[in-house]
Structures are given as structure tokens and as C-alpha cells.
């Protein structure tokens, strides 16, 4: 190029696409535009030929979603890992407060932590690719419409995100991963079906390849058109381009060969995927008081002495919480099958659950049979709620704000005073127990349905089928009518505090 002959100058300007400008010439800078060979460029070319190459057009049209399907195995593995660890063993409030980084730190080995982070990255990568699609995406499970609410779409999936977003559920934050999984499965199946139909038309065959289904829980990378790292090289191998000085670049694609190559390499033989979800249940959703009463009959109340000894043994909140956790796991199992009520709690915990070492109350194991399980649950739950109330913590996490209204004190009425007046001579322990059960098993599960927080509390409580008739007779006529169902939690707390103050005064 050091040769300054005219021929060499021409070669130099042609190779480097430069324009010779005389030093004395006043001209603006000239730019030579060369379109890059990308999937977007190929998609623009296909707009005029999509009828002839429908498979290639469909691929590029849905490319971000189809690319995200490569992450399906990682998403499924993560959901299965959480199901195995926490199904019926975790409450929603705990999951909704635990950060992902806290969960990762609790994993036993480095290999499990590495696997979890890898699967979490799959969720994050897929979410970024299809987040815009999820804004308007809806589907049905058991005739119930499922979708991702707008407030959940901004989740970042980093280690500061909450664990509840990862746990697969059909409502609440957990709907994110379920909707993501359903969208990817639907996109995969739709594309495979499109390819089969178009190939049947072209080749005039009834069957292109055997139609078979794979459960999403068994999905492997080989079942998916994982093309991300090869698609550009395949496009380049079927691309023809020429360079003419002064005319720019001319790009043409061998579309028939490109479509055939893609189908043969990535689509042919791929199965349909059968969508399914493991029905994860939070601990409080896994058991039904009503079901246990029907299946484990009769249910017998623990004596006052036994209750006191069990509570005194569990003198720390941690030991009480750990004991209650296992009791609720027991209740989850009892809700799903018939069991002999005379079976001792020790035998059930040790033989069926293999959890005797984790059970923190030896007194409960000594005193209780399965016929006492509801009484034991009530004893532990109410004591836990009392302790949280005394420590200025919320014992009823997860209830709608409609049912957390405070009691009122105005010039015309004082609900605090009205409530305290009727507590003299009433069995406060029984009232706290039944009101706690009412809130946890009735209000919590019915709060989003036909309940109205403006209803009178005593009238709604009177309709509760397990309301003790004797207690009902004692308080129904004197309970303040001004206290509404929306003040149920505040009422329970006030009664608990009143009981504590009364006991302290009597001492």
C-alpha cells in the first residue's frame, strides 16, 4: 500500500471502503453503511416471504420466548427443590420475609448452593426474556384464572428478593414462577405443532415424526430446541454477501436451506411437553381443622394440668415455635387420611414422620394421643400468639388489612371499656381459644370470599359451628355489638392483654 500508483490507491479505497476526497474540496463526511447480519435483519427480509417460509418466520417472530425455553429444566429443578424442602413445612409469612440469600445459606452443602444459584439464574434469564409477554398472559388451572399481577412483574430475582416469589403457588407471589413455566411450555408446544403442520403440508405426509409427550417434571435439555449458541453460525453458513465499491453490501439468504437446516438440527423429533405443577401447600393451608375432626374422631381436650406442664416446658419462643411446627406437620398428614385416634403422638412422630428428635416437648409426647392433636395445636398456637402480642409483635401475619382495624375510643363510646366490662366472670381461656381458632381457620380462609368485615363480630362468631354452646350463652347477649368482624384481631389482642394484667394484679 506504500505504492502510490493509481491502481494501488484504487485497491486501498475499495478494500477499506473509503472515498477519495481532494484536500481542496469542501464536502461533508461521507458514511458507508453496512447492515450487520443478525436475526433482526433476517426477520426483516422474511416479512415479504413469510408465506413461503412460515417455520422460519415463526421462529424469528417468537424468538425471545423460544430462546427462553432452554431454561425450563433449571426452573423445574428449582421448583422441585423448594417443594421437597418446604411443602407443608413452611408458613407463607415466613417465606414472605425470608430473602433468597438467607435460604441459600441454609443449604447443607456447597454443591446444593451451586445448583440452586444456577437454577436461580435460569429463572432470572428466562424472566428477562419474556417479562413483557407475562404482562397480559393468563391461563386456567382447574377452571380458575391465573395471571401475574402488575405489582409482581418488577421482581428482580436477585438474592435480596423474597423466597415466596420462587415457591410455586397459584396465588400470591409464587404465581410468578408458575406463570413463567406455563408460558414457556405453551410456547414450546405451539412452535412444535406449527412445525409439524407446515411440514405435513409441504411433504404431504400424515406423520412427520411420532407425537409423544414428556411431563414437564421429566424435561431434559435434549427435549428442547436449544439453538442460542449456534443459530448465528447457521445463518452465516446460508448467507451470501457481496461488496461493491460505492454500492455497499448486498446480502442474500438461502432461505429454503436455512429453514430445512434449522428444522433438521433443532426441531425434528422434539416432543410436546405436558404442563403440570406440584401442588405446593403452605403449612397452614395443608391442614383442615374440620377435616381432622371428621377423620380423627373423637377429639378430646387436654386437661388444664397437662396444658400447663407442656407450656412451662417450652419456656422459649424458639422451642415453642419448633414444637408447633411439627404439630402442624402432623395435622397436615392427618388431614389427608384416616388414622386411629388412639395412636400415641410419640409413635406417630417417631414412626411415621421420623421426627422425634426434633420434637421439643417431651411432656406432649408423654400425654398426647392423636385424639388430642387439635387441643395441643390450640394450646401451643394461643400461647405463641400471646407471647408475640406481649412483645408488641403481630400474631396474625398474612390477614387482610380489612381484619386488622383497631378498637376505637371516642367521646361517645369506648370499645376498650365495653369489652373489659363483659370479661368479668367469663372463661377467658376458652374465649381466647375459640376466637383464635375462628380467626385462623375461618376468617383467614374466607377473607377473600363472602365475608364482610363490617359484620358484627359476635353474630359472625355465633355462626361458627365449633363455638362452645356454654360460652356462647355466657357472652352472646352482653358482647359489645359495636365491635365488627374487621376488629377481630384487635379484640383478641385486647383480651390477651387483659388476661395478663389481671393475672399480674392477682399476684
Amino acid at each position: 500500500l506504500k505504492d502510490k500508483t493509481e491502481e494501488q490507491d484504487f485497491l486501498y479505497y475499495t478494500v477499506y471502503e473509503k472515498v477519495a476526497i481532494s484536500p481542496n474540496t469542501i464536502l461533508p463526511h461521507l458514511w458507508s453503511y453496512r447492515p450487520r447480519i443478525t436475526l433482526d435483519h433476517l426477520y426483516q427480509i422474511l416479512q415479504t416471504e413469510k408465506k413461503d417460509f412460515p417455520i422460519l418466520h415463526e421462529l424469528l417472530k417468537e424468538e425471545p420466548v423460544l430462546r427462553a425455553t432452554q431454561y425450563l429444566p433449571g426452573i423445574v429443578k428449582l421448583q422441585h427443590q423448594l417443594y421437597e424442602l418446604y411443602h407443608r413445612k413452611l408458613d407463607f409469612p415466613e417465606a414472605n420475609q425470608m430473602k433468597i440469600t438467607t435460604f441459600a445459606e441454609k443449604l447443607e452443602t456447597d454443591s446444593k448452593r451451586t445448583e440452586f444459584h444456577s437454577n436461580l439464574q435460569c429463572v432470572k434469564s428466562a424472566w428477562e426474556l419474556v417479562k413483557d409477554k407475562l404482562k397480559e398472559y393468563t391461563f386456567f388451572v382447574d377452571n380458575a384464572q391465573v395471571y401475574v399481577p402488575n405489582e409482581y412483574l418488577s421482581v428482580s430475582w436477585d438474592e435480596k428478593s423474597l423466597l415466596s416469589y420462587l415457591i410455586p403457588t397459584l396465588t400470591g407471589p409464587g404465581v410468578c414462577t408458575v406463570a413463567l413455566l406455563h408460558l414457556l411450555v405453551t410456547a414450546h408446544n405451539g412452535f412444535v405443532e406449527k412445525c409439524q403442520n407446515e411440514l405435513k403440508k409441504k411433504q404431504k405426509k400424515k406423520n412427520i415424526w411420532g407425537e409423544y409427550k414428556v411431563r414437564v417434571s421429566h424435561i431434559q435439555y435434549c427435549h428442547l430446541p436449544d439453538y442460542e449458541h449456534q443459530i448465528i453460525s447457521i445463518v452465516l453458513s446460508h448467507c451470501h454477501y457481496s461488496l461493491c465499491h460505492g454500492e455497499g453490501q448486498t446480502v442474500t439468504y438461502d432461505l429454503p436451506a436455512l429453514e430445512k437446516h434449522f428444522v433438521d438440527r433443532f426441531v425434528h423429533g422434539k416432543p410436546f411437553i405436558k404442563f403440570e405443577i406440584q401442588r405446593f401447600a403452605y403449612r397452614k393451608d395443608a391442614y383442615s381443622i374440620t377435616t381432622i375432626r371428621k377423620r380423627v374422631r373423637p377429639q378430646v381436650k387436654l386437661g388444664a394440668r397437662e396444658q400447663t406442664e407442656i407450656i412451662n416446658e417450652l419456656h422459649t419462643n424458639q422451642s415453642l415455635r419448633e414444637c408447633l411446627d411439627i404439630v402442624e406437620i402432623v395435622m397436615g398428614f392427618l388431614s389427608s387420611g384416616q388414622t386411629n385416634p388412639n395412636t400415641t403422638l410419640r409413635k406417630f412422630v417417631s414412626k411415621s414422620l421420623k421426627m422425634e428428635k426434633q420434637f421439643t416437648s417431651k411432656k406432649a409426647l408423654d400425654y398426647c394421643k392423636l385424639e388430642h392433636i387439635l387441643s395441643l395445636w390450640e394450646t401451643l398456637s394461643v400461647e405463641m400468639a400471646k407471647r408475640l402480642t406481649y412483645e408488641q409483635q403481630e400474631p396474625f401475619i398474612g390477614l387482610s388489612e380489612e381484619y386488622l382495624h383497631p378498637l376505637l375510643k371516642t367521646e361517645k363510646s369506648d370499645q376498650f371499656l365495653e369489652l373489659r366490662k363483659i370479661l368479668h366472670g367469663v372463661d377467658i381461656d376458652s374465649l381466647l381459644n375459640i376466637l383464635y381458632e375462628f380467626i385462623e381457620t375461618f376468617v383467614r380462609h374466607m377473607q377473600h370470599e363472602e365475608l364482610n368485615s363490617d359484620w358484627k363480630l359476635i353474630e359472625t362468631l355465633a355462626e361458627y359451628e365449633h363455638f362452645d354452646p356454654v360460652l356462647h350463652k355466657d357472652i352472646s347477649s352482653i358482647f359489645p355489638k359495636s365491635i365488627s368482624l374487621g376488629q377481630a384481631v384487635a379484640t383478641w389482642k385486647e383480651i390477651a392483654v387483659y388476661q395478663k394484667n389481671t393475672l399480674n394484679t392477682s399476684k
Side-chain angles (χ1 to χ4, degrees), residues 56-316:
L56 207 53
H57 181 266
E58 183 71 13
L59 163 70
L60 298 176
K61 177 184 174 185
E62 301 295 332
E63 196 279 325
V65 181
L66 293 174
R67 183 164 20 121
T69 60
Q70 67 181 298
Y71 301 113
L72 270 170
I75 298 170
V76 172
K77 287 178 183 177
L78 186 143
Q79 289 186 341
H80 181 70
Q81 183 181 29
L82 292 171
Y83 181 90
E84 289 293 313
L85 286 172
Y86 288 136
H87 178 55
R88 293 180 172 181
K89 301 173 185 176
L90 185 74
D91 280 337
F92 173 73
E94 296 174 65
N96 207 37
Q97 291 176 352
M98 185 188 301
K99 293 182 180 179
I100 289 175
T101 182
T102 305
F103 165 76
E105 290 170 357
K106 291 183 178 181
L107 295 175
E108 297 174 354
T109 63
D110 291 338
S111 60
K112 288 185 178 181
R113 280 188 286 273
T114 301
E115 181 185 11
F116 170 75
H117 286 297
S118 175
N119 294 335
L120 178 62
Q121 185 58 46
C122 288
V123 173
K124 184 175 182 179
S125 299
W127 184 268
E128 290 301 318
L129 287 169
V130 304
K131 182 167 63 175
D132 290 339
K133 290 272 187 182
L134 285 169
K135 290 179 180 178
E136 300 178 354
Y137 187 72
T138 62
F139 60 101
F140 289 85
V141 176
D142 297 337
N143 297 321
Q145 187 179 32
V146 182
Y147 63 95
V148 180
N150 291 331
E151 60 265 30
Y152 298 151
L153 290 169
S154 60
V155 60
S156 59
W157 301 113
D158 56 26
E159 296 195 349
K160 293 182 180 179
S161 300
L162 299 176
L163 187 65
S164 57
Y165 282 86
L166 288 178
I167 294 175
T169 56
L170 296 179
T171 57
V175 76
C176 293
T177 55
V178 175
L180 176 61
L181 188 69
H182 191 276
L183 173 62
L184 298 182
V185 168
T186 302
H188 170 89
N189 290 342
F191 184 64
V192 171
E193 183 179 17
K194 175 79 171 179
C195 291
Q196 286 196 351
N197 292 338
E198 293 300 333
L199 290 173
K200 286 176 185 177
K201 291 179 186 177
K202 288 185 177 182
Q203 300 178 14
K204 298 181 180 180
K205 293 181 180 180
K206 291 185 178 180
N207 293 312
I208 302 302
W209 63 81
E211 295 185 7
Y212 67 102
K213 288 187 176 182
V214 173
R215 291 183 176 181
V216 71
S217 57
H218 297 160
I219 199 72
Q220 302 291 330
Y221 289 105
C222 62
H223 297 136
L224 304 165
D226 183 9
Y227 58 82
E228 181 178 10
H229 301 297
Q230 301 178 52
I231 186 68
I232 291 298
S233 61
I234 290 175
V235 170
L236 289 172
S237 69
H238 295 288
C239 171
H240 305 289
Y241 53 92
S242 60
L243 181 64
C244 297
H245 181 61
E247 298 180 11
Q249 183 186 37
T250 302
V251 180
T252 58
Y253 297 95
D254 186 352
L255 296 178
L258 178 56
E259 185 175 79
K260 184 177 185 304
H261 190 162
F262 181 83
V263 171
D264 291 344
R265 176 69 182 82
F266 298 110
V267 184
H268 192 83
K270 300 302 181 187
F272 291 96
I273 302 173
K274 182 180 179 181
F275 175 77
E276 58 187 6
I277 58 171
Q278 291 179 302
R279 293 304 182 100
F280 183 93
Y282 284 109
R283 186 168 51 223
K284 287 189 182 299
D285 298 329
Y287 61 81
S288 165
I289 301 293
T290 302
T291 302
I292 293 174
R293 282 196 171 102
K294 291 178 181 178
R295 291 184 172 177
V296 189
R297 295 188 295 178
Q299 281 296 303
V300 179
K301 189 175 181 64
L302 282 168
R305 180 180 65 84
E306 287 83 359
Q307 292 183 43
T308 301
E309 289 187 22
I310 291 171
I311 293 302
N312 290 340
E313 182 185 24
L314 302 170
H315 56 276
T316 68

Side-chain angles (χ1 to χ4, degrees), residues 14 16-19 29-38 40-42 44-45 241-251 253:
T14 299
Y16 288 95
E17 296 185 77
K18 293 184 178 294
V19 179
H29 291 288
L30 300 178
W31 293 85
S32 179
Y33 173 69
R34 294 178 58 181
R36 297 182 62 189
I37 300 173
T38 63
D40 287 338
H41 182 257
L42 176 59
Q44 292 175 12
I45 300 297
Y241 53 92
S242 60
L243 181 64
C244 297
H245 181 61
E247 298 180 11
Q249 183 186 37
T250 302
V251 180
Y253 297 95

Side-chain angles (χ1 to χ4, degrees), residues 282-456:
Y282 284 109
R283 186 168 51 223
K284 287 189 182 299
D285 298 329
Y287 61 81
S288 165
I289 301 293
T290 302
T291 302
I292 293 174
R293 282 196 171 102
K294 291 178 181 178
R295 291 184 172 177
V296 189
R297 295 188 295 178
Q299 281 296 303
V300 179
K301 189 175 181 64
L302 282 168
R305 180 180 65 84
E306 287 83 359
Q307 292 183 43
T308 301
E309 289 187 22
I310 291 171
I311 293 302
N312 290 340
E313 182 185 24
L314 302 170
H315 56 276
T316 68
N317 287 0
Q318 181 177 348
S319 61
L320 178 59
R321 179 72 261 176
E322 290 172 356
C323 186
L324 182 57
D325 286 347
I326 298 180
V327 169
E328 290 182 333
I329 293 172
V330 171
M331 292 170 67
F333 279 91
L334 296 182
S335 295
S336 58
Q338 295 286 348
T339 309
N340 185 349
N342 291 316
T343 302
T344 64
L345 181 60
R346 183 186 298 278
K347 180 179 179 180
F348 190 86
V349 169
S350 60
K351 301 295 184 182
S352 300
L353 301 185
K354 312 293 184 185
M355 299 181 74
E356 184 175 2
K357 290 183 179 179
Q358 294 98 305
F359 205 89
T360 53
S361 174
K362 304 308 176 187
K363 295 288 186 181
L365 294 177
D366 291 339
Y367 294 142
C368 297
K369 296 180 180 180
L370 295 184
E371 65 183 8
H372 300 117
I373 195 66
L374 291 185
S375 180
L376 178 60
W377 169 80
E378 189 176 79
T379 301
L380 299 176
S381 298
V382 171
E383 177 63 22
M384 188 78 245
K386 286 179 182 178
R387 293 183 186 183
L388 292 174
T389 300
Y390 302 154
E391 295 168 4
Q392 303 297 313
Q393 298 183 50
E394 178 53 60
F396 298 97
I397 297 174
L399 279 181
S400 168
E401 293 291 330
E402 291 182 72
Y403 300 94
L404 299 177
H405 295 163
L407 295 177
L408 301 176
K409 181 178 182 180
T410 64
E411 293 181 0
K412 295 183 178 180
S413 67
D414 185 342
Q415 291 180 326
F416 293 93
L417 183 59
E418 292 175 13
L419 181 61
R420 291 185 196 120
K421 283 181 179 179
I422 66 104
L423 295 177
H424 297 288
V426 170
D427 185 348
I428 294 181
D429 282 326
S430 295
L431 180 57
L432 283 173
N433 289 351
I434 193 62
L435 187 53
Y436 180 89
E437 182 182 321
F438 172 74
I439 293 171
E440 281 293 341
T441 64
F442 186 75
V443 176
R444 184 179 293 280
H445 290 95
M446 303 287 286
Q447 60 183 320
H448 301 301
E449 299 180 23
E450 61 266 26
L451 285 187
N452 187 327
S453 61
D454 293 329
W455 291 346
K456 291 180 173 59

